[in-house]
Amino acid sequence: MGNYKIRVKVEFIECDDPEQNSPMKQNDGSFEMSIDEADAISIDNCETAVLRTSHEAIRAALSEHLSQASKKKALEKAKAQIVVINERPYDVDGEAGRFHFATHRVVQDAKSIFDTSKEVFPTLQGREYYRTVGFKELAYIYGDTNESFRKTAALINRIRHQQQGGTPFRTLQESTEREGQQILDYVKDQSNRILEQNGFSEDGQYQGNSLEYCQGEPVLLPSADIIKAANQCPDDFDKAQLLKNAVGYEDPTTTTNIAIDDVNVKRQNSSRPGEDSEEQKKKYAHNTIAHIENGEEKYTLNGEDTKSVLLFIMAFCFNNNLIGTRLQFFTDGHTLLNKAILKALSWYSNIGIILDWYHLRKKCKEKLSMAMRGSVIRNEVLEKLMPMLWHGLTEKAIDFLNETETDLIKNQTRMAELISYLERNKPYIPCYEIRKQLGLKNSSAIGEKMNDLVVAERQKHNGMSWSKAGSVSLATITALKRNKENDKWFETKFLDFKLAA
């Protein structure tokens, strides 16, 4: 027995009637590969040979078809003019691989009057490649958001059987950053447009009637429901003391929960700065992540700073008819963040801020670890402190810390910092136990999960460092994926900007 040939032929067939199968014009790409008898009976080797050959045939067929389509469009415009082939081919990075095709221009009196590379196909700048929807889905959604650019480039080039002449990982990184920036720019423009339509200035200041959204009391649960919940709490503390906590209890049926937090990743240095330079001090690339939840529907927003994300949140609430619900924020207790929320939404009365229980416990544990003499003493203090805070008895907790014996404390500064933290956040520390009895949220756990999924899971591993633009762009694409808006964006460059299940 001799060698075997594997031949793959791909055809683009043009029909007068798309419903008919009779071909009228045919452009095809055909490739073949020879394999010996031993390979011909190997399932794996046959599969590899067919895939390699088919990908070559597909790329060739695409190139031939698009070249002929370009020529046809040019001839339709030409009439008596001259049609010439452009010197530079049109470059494509697709799910089928990288390929090129010829474009054409119509010339009259030595002047180009029609160019398919600009008027039929999207215009490319410099050495840019046109990236197909399939490529973006494969590279950005299934690749970049999970693995490094280097690994993603190696994977997609392997899948396309184009290890030679495929997509370099640096090019993939640059294109990912551009795509993320385009999404972010769209969200900024969309938010500005929505806010302007609703009476806001460019910097997010409400210009309308100050009473429109500020009249009336915040919508909260009836006091009878709160008293009933307090009576169901364990008898560790006086129920009357629990009810004195001034932080309100929102009605979950008319509430939009918003978890907002900052995430920092190690930032690249653009140069080798001196020890005392300003550049040396800038160690992190910053993202602000917000998770919006109303009923069973949700949406994730990402931006480069707190102010811009708060504008996104406001615009999103208008676009989803959430203005009128209570906007219940969950934060980590950072003073600047809480102040920014209250300032940005000073025009809206039905708003609340809750210090997330996870962050409160974490802060107490961290500060006490630095303040107390050993883990045993720290744990003893925590064991007494946390139940007070869980029941919203912030003043009692502060008094307890102030009365801690000094010989148990190794660092008075850290203890003072914890006390100051509790004093600043007293307006945002509720009775978490009553909230639990009422079935209300006590934690922005979903927000923390989004932080992990959107930023930390991909960007905080193996000593990675990021440019600010790179970190925000990749996080923006990851948020696009979480919101299930990637198909619409890649195909239309538009976003629904709507809550989704």
Side-chain angles (χ1 to χ4, degrees):
M1 297 179 67
N3 290 350
Y4 290 82
K5 286 185 177 181
I6 293 176
R7 176 177 293 172
V8 177
K9 185 176 183 180
V10 181
E11 298 178 337
F12 282 87
I13 300 174
E14 182 180 353
C15 302
D16 286 337
D17 184 351
E19 299 299 322
Q20 296 179 1
N21 293 323
S22 56
M24 295 186 63
K25 183 180 179 182
Q26 174 180 308
N27 303 317
D28 68 19
S30 180
F31 277 75
E32 66 180 31
M33 173 182 287
S34 295
I35 58 175
D36 59 28
E37 184 175 359
D39 287 335
I41 59 174
S42 167
I43 296 172
D44 292 324
N45 292 345
C46 284
E47 179 190 52
T48 300
V50 169
L51 288 172
R52 287 178 58 192
T53 309
S54 65
H55 276 77
E56 287 288 342
I58 289 169
R59 289 191 284 268
L62 285 166
S63 179
E64 176 65 19
H65 166 73
L66 291 168
S67 295
Q68 292 297 327
S70 169
K71 183 177 180 180
K72 179 181 177 181
K73 288 295 183 183
L75 288 171
E76 290 173 355
K77 293 284 185 179
K79 297 181 180 178
Q81 283 78 41
I82 300 172
V83 174
V84 298
I85 298 176
N86 287 323
E87 292 181 4
R88 184 187 164 190
Y90 193 95
D91 299 325
V92 178
D93 215 348
E95 188 173 358
R98 281 193 162 194
F99 62 92
H100 321 276
F101 64 91
T103 56
H104 304 76
R105 67 182 187 277
V106 179
V107 178
Q108 183 180 36
D109 299 328
K111 183 179 179 180
S112 177
I113 62 171
F114 180 79
D115 190 337
T116 62
S117 69
K118 298 180 176 66
E119 298 176 72
V120 175
F121 305 105
T123 302
L124 301 179
Q125 303 294 331
R127 300 301 300 175
E128 183 182 5
Y129 276 70
Y130 175 80
R131 292 175 176 84
T132 67
V133 170
F135 172 86
K136 291 178 179 180
E137 182 179 353
L138 183 65
Y140 304 157
I141 302 303
Y142 292 106
D144 292 344
T145 54
N146 300 308
E147 294 287 356
S148 70
F149 297 116
R150 189 185 297 274
K151 289 182 178 179
T152 298
L155 177 62
I156 62 176
N157 289 332
R158 169 61 183 84
I159 290 172
R160 304 181 304 182
H161 288 270
Q162 201 175 30
Q163 287 94 330
Q164 299 296 322
T167 305
F169 83 90
R170 289 290 186 192
T171 301
L172 177 62
Q173 178 179 348
E174 292 168 2
S175 69
T176 303
E177 291 182 6
R178 284 197 299 272
E179 192 75 29
Q181 188 59 53
Q182 288 175 12
I183 300 167
L184 192 58
D185 289 343
Y186 177 90
V187 173
K188 288 178 181 178
D189 292 342
Q190 179 84 328
S191 297
N192 289 338
R193 181 185 62 78
I194 293 170
L195 290 176
E196 183 180 357
Q197 291 174 348
N198 286 278
F200 289 79
S201 62
E202 288 186 5
D203 60 352
Q205 298 299 311
Y206 184 58
Q207 306 295 303
N209 185 343
S210 60
L211 297 178
E212 184 174 2
Y213 300 111
C214 285
Q215 56 187 352
E217 295 295 323
V219 179
L220 302 172
L221 286 172
S223 58
D225 291 351
I226 299 168
I227 294 172
K228 180 180 178 181
N231 289 331
Q232 294 173 342
C233 294
D235 295 327
D236 299 337
F237 296 96
D238 182 5
K239 305 296 175 61
Q241 291 296 316
L242 306 189
L243 291 169
K244 288 183 179 180
N245 190 297
V247 182
Y249 301 91
E250 70 277 10
D251 182 347
T253 63
T254 59
T255 294
T256 298
N257 293 308
I258 304 171
I260 183 169
D261 197 8
D262 295 333
V263 187
N264 295 317
V265 296
K266 185 178 179 182
R267 202 187 73 170
Q268 294 173 342
N269 285 326
S270 57
S271 59
R272 294 181 179 273
E275 291 184 1
D276 298 327
S277 71
E278 187 66 24
E279 183 68 21
Q280 182 72 15
K281 299 175 184 178
K282 299 177 181 178
K283 297 180 180 179
Y284 297 100
H286 179 89
N287 284 271
T288 299
I289 308 292
H291 182 266
I292 303 173
E293 187 177 45
N294 183 270
E296 297 298 319
E297 297 183 315
K298 54 189 178 295
Y299 202 86
T300 301
L301 293 166
N302 174 72
E304 56 198 8
D305 55 50
T306 301
K307 181 178 179 180
S308 62
V309 171
L310 285 170
L311 293 179
F312 298 165
I313 291 171
M314 288 159 53
F316 187 85
C317 288
F318 275 108
N319 201 49
N320 288 266
N321 299 316
L322 300 178
I323 298 301
T325 66
R326 179 171 178 82
L327 303 183
Q328 190 68 59
F329 285 84
F330 294 83
T331 75
D332 62 358
H334 196 288
T335 302
L336 293 179
L337 175 59
N338 290 342
K339 286 183 176 179
I341 292 170
L342 295 175
K343 180 179 179 181
L345 286 120
S346 59
W347 52 274
Y348 193 69
S349 62
N350 199 7
I351 178 179
I353 298 176
I354 296 291
L355 174 53
D356 168 71
W357 174 251
Y358 166 82
H359 283 102
L360 175 56
R361 181 174 176 80
K362 179 181 177 183
K363 178 68 73 173
C364 291
K365 188 173 181 179
E366 288 176 349
K367 291 297 182 183
L368 287 175
S369 292
M370 294 182 283
M372 309 309 295
R373 294 186 182 278
S375 60
V376 174
I377 297 175
R378 178 206 64 186
N379 291 338
E380 290 176 354
V381 174
L382 274 174
E383 189 175 351
K384 296 177 181 178
L385 175 67
M386 299 318 298
M388 300 178 198
L389 293 174
W390 174 254
H391 288 84
L393 303 173
T394 312
E395 282 295 340
K396 186 179 181 69
I398 292 172
D399 291 342
F400 167 72
L401 292 176
N402 279 321
E403 294 167 2
T404 302
E405 297 179 18
T406 56
D407 59 348
L408 301 178
I409 302 172
K410 70 176 180 181
N411 191 324
Q412 289 286 355
T413 300
R414 300 307 181 195
M415 177 63 83
E417 289 173 353
L418 176 57
I419 293 171
S420 178
Y421 173 82
L422 295 177
E423 288 174 341
R424 290 196 310 272
N425 284 285
K426 183 181 177 182
Y428 315 120
I429 299 177
C431 177
Y432 298 98
E433 176 62 30
I434 290 181
R435 291 183 63 83
K436 178 183 176 182
Q437 297 295 334
L438 291 168
L440 302 178
K441 287 182 176 294
N442 274 325
S443 173
S444 60
I446 185 64
E448 283 295 304
K449 184 62 176 177
M450 285 304 106
N451 292 349
D452 290 339
L453 293 174
V454 174
V455 179
E457 193 172 85
R458 169 66 170 87
Q459 297 188 33
K460 283 191 172 183
H461 294 296
N462 301 322
M464 289 181 175
S465 61
W466 299 83
S467 67
K468 182 174 179 62
S471 175
V472 174
S473 293
L474 183 59
T476 301
I477 289 179
T478 309
L480 181 82
K481 175 182 176 181
R482 300 301 310 173
N483 296 329
K484 300 179 182 178
E485 292 237 62
N486 47 284
D487 287 344
K488 181 161 190 174
W489 172 256
F490 293 149
E491 292 171 8
T492 67
K493 293 298 182 183
F494 288 97
L495 298 177
D496 287 330
F497 209 49
K498 292 283 189 179
L499 288 163

